[in-house]
Amino acid sequence: MTEKAVAFVDHAAGRWLARMEEDAERRAATVAQLRRLIAFAGAGLLVVPAVFSLVFRPALAMPIGAALVLALFLAAAALLIAFSHSARAPSVASSSDESDVVLASQVPGLLIFLNENGIVERVSGRDRESFPGYLRDCAGQIFAEHIYVSDRIALMQAFDLLRQGEDSASAELRVEIGSKSRNTAQFMHLRAEMTAVRNAAGRLRRIVAQLSDVTEIEELRCEAVRKTAEAESANDAKSRFLAAVSHELRTPLNAVLGFSDILAGEYFGRLENDRQREYVALIRQSGAHLLSVVNTMLDMSKLEAGRYELMMEAFPIAESIESCEAMLGLQAKEKGVTLTTRIQRGIGEVTADQRAIRQVLINLAGNAIKFTDAGGVVSMDAAREGAMLKLTVSDTGIGIAADKIEFLGQPFMQVQNEYTRRYEGTGLGLSLVKGLVALHGGTFVIASKPGEGTVVTIMLPADGSGVSGGGEGADAGRMVEFPPRIRQLGDLAEVMKKDVEDGPAKAKIA
């Protein structure tokens, strides 16, 4: 309720309780006077017949005296009750005096006064004219009969709460407007805020309901729900489209790769010149790159749909890092970049999806190599910090501006500047990395400065506890934030200087 409505209800309740106390005192005084009158009448029934017997015969004096006393008693009692009602009338009339009427008329919305049985006693309110006519003139009628049938249960539940002792209750209601044309809504949506008025004994005597028109708010809510459903449907359609396109592209791409391998191997005859061999190599390279993009799109669509299955198993993390180093070593050497690995001694086995972890490392290290110029260094580090596995991929490449980091990881999004425009890519790799880390229940943090390099730190539960239930495909149905948000580290310099702290590390250079 609004402040005006609350003030009015408090004021009305105070006046009503004061009237109840005055009425109780007046009734007590009337009862005391009636008791005295009865006592006098009882004495008169003995005295008056005795006096009359001195004049009349006893058989005649007794009924005459009793009748006279009873007549006087009844007349006196009637006068006493009449005077009591006439004294009470001004108090009753004060319940609807001018001050209460003016205050009620200033309350926003429609103010309805109900008795304990739900019958309307009075209707007021500042916005009374904006409500349907049958609701403005419903005094003396049952309020529930004007509410849409399916909403009457909510109204009865609110009434029941007030009868059980609650001071206030609310309900979302609808009333029919009356006009059912195509351009006019059928219902007016109302919010009813109801306050209980009780007597000194705590019994419910009156309900004050403030009705507010929330039709526009309800329409906005329905529109928001509809837009959300449309966005979810469009996102699902996009994911299905990506999955379908990925599947359809893989078959011809495999054929392209296979035939290009046959041509490059010169199984059906030698190529005539070096230019033909160069073109075949370019076809093979482009096909492999496109197949990698297609596979990444397929994995990303699975992540978005929450259907990426993790194959949890225990494996030596050192072997996975070394295999990634072997796969990327040639790429780093061709570009003149030094690729190193630092693995904590005795790191042992971890429980995770080995294929996913390898893909995370390849994507991160591949990005680092791509954005690091000749003479730079890229490092893949692994260490245990308590129950967590810490994977760090750092480079001395071009770096990223702080205001651009938040855009990283969005599908098909690349940070464009004078440095990155010359590098190819789709912007899917980092999105996939973050999705896979989130599926493992890990965290992904990136820190970078232009011209100084980038550090990506991943923390994963080493025992696989981040995946609910563990085991094969345990988290296949769990939805993750996609793409997850990237958190920035504090000082990049401190991160770059921090080596593995849990023990000596071994370093290898490709």
Side-chain angles (χ1 to χ4, degrees):
M1 274 195 174
T2 60
E3 295 182 358
K4 287 186 176 181
V6 172
F8 176 77
V9 171
D10 292 341
H11 176 70
R15 294 180 63 87
W16 188 83
L17 291 175
R19 291 198 303 271
M20 292 293 294
E21 293 176 356
E22 293 176 2
D23 291 344
E25 293 177 357
R26 191 172 292 105
R27 283 195 298 269
T30 303
V31 170
Q33 293 175 356
L34 286 174
R35 288 177 178 174
R36 288 194 294 269
L37 189 59
I38 292 173
F40 282 119
L45 288 176
L46 298 176
V47 175
V48 173
V51 173
F52 277 14
S53 63
L54 298 176
V55 180
F56 305 102
R57 292 192 305 245
L60 186 60
M62 291 294 292
I64 293 175
L68 180 61
V69 171
L70 290 174
L72 292 174
F73 169 75
L74 292 175
L79 290 174
L80 181 62
I81 294 174
F83 280 120
S84 175
H85 278 288
S86 63
R88 183 187 175 193
S91 176
V92 175
S94 65
S95 64
S96 56
D97 60 10
E98 184 177 355
S99 61
D100 283 353
V101 172
V102 172
L103 183 58
S105 64
Q106 297 302 314
V107 175
L110 188 68
L111 204 62
I112 297 181
F113 299 84
L114 309 167
N115 63 14
E116 66 272 21
N117 297 319
I119 298 176
V120 179
E121 295 180 344
R122 184 158 57 95
V123 179
S124 185
R126 185 187 66 189
D127 305 319
R128 178 176 177 177
E129 296 302 321
S130 63
F131 287 80
Y134 66 87
L135 205 58
R136 300 195 302 263
D137 304 322
C138 62
Q141 302 173 13
I142 299 176
F143 178 62
E145 293 181 351
H146 299 288
I147 303 302
Y148 186 60
V149 176
S150 61
D151 295 337
R152 294 178 185 178
I153 296 177
L155 179 63
M156 292 300 102
Q157 289 175 343
F159 278 176
D160 190 55
L161 288 176
L162 297 178
R163 292 190 181 99
Q164 291 178 5
E166 295 291 335
D167 294 329
S168 61
S170 61
E172 300 290 338
L173 308 174
R174 286 175 295 175
V175 296
E176 292 192 15
I177 298 177
S179 176
K180 300 182 181 180
S181 63
R182 292 185 178 181
N183 298 327
T184 306
Q186 179 182 358
F187 298 106
M188 173 183 285
H189 294 266
L190 305 176
R191 180 171 181 82
E193 297 286 350
M194 292 174 281
T195 302
V197 179
R198 307 181 186 279
N199 58 15
R203 181 182 176 185
L204 180 65
R205 303 300 300 174
R206 177 180 289 182
I207 298 173
V208 181
Q210 182 189 16
L211 305 183
S212 302
D213 184 2
V214 294
T215 302
E216 293 184 1
I217 298 176
E218 184 65 19
E219 290 176 352
L220 290 175
R221 187 187 68 81
C222 293
E223 181 69 12
V225 171
R226 186 180 66 81
K227 292 292 186 182
T228 301
E230 290 179 355
E232 292 176 353
S233 177
N235 186 63
D236 292 341
K238 182 259 297 180
S239 298
R240 290 193 299 269
F241 171 77
L242 287 177
V245 169
S246 300
H247 282 294
E248 292 298 326
L249 288 177
R250 291 174 76 174
T251 300
L253 280 175
N254 286 326
V256 170
L257 293 176
F259 287 121
S260 62
D261 287 337
I262 292 174
L263 292 174
E266 299 181 349
Y267 296 111
F268 299 103
R270 298 184 60 84
L271 299 176
E272 295 183 0
N273 51 59
D274 292 338
R275 175 163 295 185
Q276 290 179 346
R277 296 185 182 90
E278 179 185 359
Y279 287 169
V280 170
L282 289 175
I283 292 173
R284 178 65 176 80
Q285 180 181 356
S286 299
H289 174 71
L290 186 55
L291 182 60
S292 174
V293 172
V294 168
N295 289 332
T296 303
M297 290 172 58
L298 184 59
D299 289 338
M300 190 186 70
S301 65
K302 290 180 180 179
L303 280 173
E304 288 185 319
R307 299 185 181 278
Y308 192 101
E309 295 187 7
L310 295 180
M311 311 294 289
M312 305 298 290
E313 59 179 337
F315 63 93
I317 186 64
E319 293 183 2
S320 295
I321 296 177
E322 290 171 357
S323 66
C324 293
E325 179 189 10
M327 284 186 285
L328 297 172
L330 181 60
Q331 177 184 348
K333 181 179 292 186
E334 290 177 348
K335 195 172 181 182
V337 174
T338 301
L339 177 61
T340 69
T341 59
R342 294 179 295 181
I343 305 173
Q344 177 186 336
R345 292 178 181 173
I347 192 172
E349 294 185 341
V350 298
T351 301
D353 187 323
Q354 185 174 7
R355 182 177 68 89
I357 296 300
R358 187 180 292 114
Q359 188 169 11
V360 166
L361 291 172
I362 290 175
N363 285 358
L364 291 178
N367 273 349
I369 294 172
K370 181 170 65 173
F371 293 107
T372 301
D373 295 330
V377 178
V378 174
S379 177
M380 291 188 292
D381 306 334
R384 291 285 290 266
E385 291 190 356
M388 304 297 290
L389 169 66
K390 180 180 179 180
L391 300 175
T392 305
V393 178
S394 58
D395 64 70
T396 58
I398 62 175
I400 308 166
D403 59 341
K404 302 295 184 181
I405 292 181
E406 61 179 324
F407 298 107
L408 291 177
Q410 298 181 16
F412 306 102
M413 176 67 68
Q414 284 187 304
V415 179
Q416 298 293 325
N417 54 37
E418 60 273 15
Y419 297 105
T420 61
R421 287 184 188 275
R422 68 178 186 268
Y423 298 102
E424 64 179 13
T426 60
L428 294 176
L430 204 55
S431 298
L432 185 59
V433 167
K434 290 187 295 179
L436 294 176
V437 170
L439 280 180
H440 282 84
T443 59
F444 179 97
V445 183
I446 185 169
S448 183
K449 285 186 178 180
E452 296 185 15
T454 302
V455 177
V456 178
T457 303
I458 295 173
M459 300 292 290
L460 301 173
D463 57 357
S465 59
V467 180
S468 59
E472 182 176 339
D475 209 33
R478 183 165 66 94
M479 300 294 291
V480 298
E481 181 185 14
F482 194 89
R485 298 177 181 176
I486 301 179
R487 293 178 295 169
Q488 298 188 34
L489 294 176
D491 189 358
L492 177 64
E494 296 181 2
V495 177
M496 296 290 287
K497 292 178 181 178
K498 183 178 179 181
D499 291 324
V500 180
E501 298 176 350
D502 291 341
K506 59 178 182 178
K508 293 179 62 179
I509 301 178

